[in-house]
Amino acid sequence: MEASSHDEFREFVAMRSTALLRLAVLLTGGDRHAAEDLLQIALMKAYGRWARIEQHEAYVRQVMYRQQVNRWRLRRHRAETTVPVLPESETGADAGSESELRIALWAALGRLSKRQRAVVVLRYFEDLPEAEVAALLGCPVGTVRSTAHRSLAKLRALVPELGPGEPSERVQPLNYTPKEVQR
C-alpha cells in the first residue's frame, strides 16, 4: 500500500472508528468484545483494498453486516450461547407480573370503543404514523390524535400499572386478528 493510502486509512480509522464501533455493538447485541472483533475484521479487509474502494465507510459497513450475518449463521449450530448478564437479572420483575399486565391491558382494550381500540392498536402496537391510521380509518388526522389521547387516558385509568408512558413502551405487542380490532 502506498504511503498516501496508508495515511488516508489511518485518518479514516481515527475519525470514524467510534461511530463504526457503535454500529458493531448494535450488530453484536451489545457484546463489546465481539463488536471490537467485528470492526477489526472489517478494517483488515478494507485495508487490503483501500486504494480500490470508492466509498470507504460504506464498504466497511457492508463488510461488518456480512461478517455478522455469517456469525449468526454459525451460531445456530452451537448448543450454548454465553451472555454477560443473565436475562432474569436484567428486568428485576418476574414474568408473572408482565403476563398480568398483558392480561389487564387486553381486558382494558376490550372496554374501549371500536374506534378507540382501532386507533390504539394501529398507532401504538402496529407503530403506524397518524396519517396512515387516519387513511385506514377514513377520518382526519386530528381525530386520530384526539382519539388516541382520550384512549390512552382511559387505558391508564383502567390499568394504572401502565404509568405515564406509551403502552407500546411498557408492554410487548399483543397478538390479535383484524376481527378483534373491529369488535
Side-chain angles (χ1 to χ4, degrees), residues 70-143:
N70 288 339
R71 286 184 180 184
W72 289 332
R73 287 179 183 152
L74 292 174
R75 191 176 297 162
R76 262 191 258 158
H77 301 292
R78 289 171 129 189
E80 292 181 62
T81 302
T82 59
V83 293
V85 179
L86 294 175
E88 297 86 36
S89 63
E90 287 180 9
T91 61
D94 64 353
S97 64
E98 186 176 324
S99 297
E100 290 171 6
L101 183 60
R102 284 179 181 221
I103 291 168
L105 182 58
W106 184 258
L109 279 172
R111 295 181 61 189
L112 296 177
S113 70
K114 292 177 186 179
R115 177 171 286 214
Q116 286 178 324
R117 187 169 46 248
V119 167
V120 168
V121 169
L122 293 172
R123 181 74 180 99
Y124 298 104
F125 290 100
E126 290 295 316
D127 200 26
L128 296 178
E130 291 170 341
E132 200 170 325
V133 174
L136 286 170
L137 297 178
C139 63
V141 174
T143 302

Side-chain angles (χ1 to χ4, degrees), residues 1-139:
M1 177 182 280
E2 295 179 17
S4 64
S5 292
H6 181 73
D7 292 339
E8 186 181 332
F9 178 78
R10 289 177 58 113
E11 184 179 320
F12 172 81
V13 170
M15 291 183 65
R16 298 302 303 154
S17 63
T18 303
L20 291 170
L21 182 59
R22 216 177 354 233
L23 172 65
V25 168
L26 291 171
L27 286 173
T28 58
D31 186 349
R32 173 91 180 188
H33 299 291
E36 290 171 353
D37 291 344
L38 180 63
L39 179 58
Q40 186 68 30
I41 290 168
L43 290 173
M44 284 185 342
K45 289 183 177 187
Y47 182 79
R49 300 171 186 217
W50 196 255
R52 296 180 300 228
I53 301 171
E54 291 180 23
Q55 296 178 345
H56 298 113
E57 186 162 353
Y59 181 85
V60 172
R61 286 175 179 266
Q62 185 176 31
V63 169
M64 287 170 50
Y65 298 143
R66 289 182 177 170
Q67 187 67 31
Q68 187 61 27
V69 167
N70 288 339
R71 286 184 180 184
W72 289 332
R73 287 179 183 152
L74 292 174
R75 191 176 297 162
R76 262 191 258 158
H77 301 292
R78 289 171 129 189
E80 292 181 62
T81 302
T82 59
V83 293
V85 179
L86 294 175
E88 297 86 36
S89 63
E90 287 180 9
T91 61
D94 64 353
S97 64
E98 186 176 324
S99 297
E100 290 171 6
L101 183 60
R102 284 179 181 221
I103 291 168
L105 182 58
W106 184 258
L109 279 172
R111 295 181 61 189
L112 296 177
S113 70
K114 292 177 186 179
R115 177 171 286 214
Q116 286 178 324
R117 187 169 46 248
V119 167
V120 168
V121 169
L122 293 172
R123 181 74 180 99
Y124 298 104
F125 290 100
E126 290 295 316
D127 200 26
L128 296 178
E130 291 170 341
E132 200 170 325
V133 174
L136 286 170
L137 297 178
C139 63

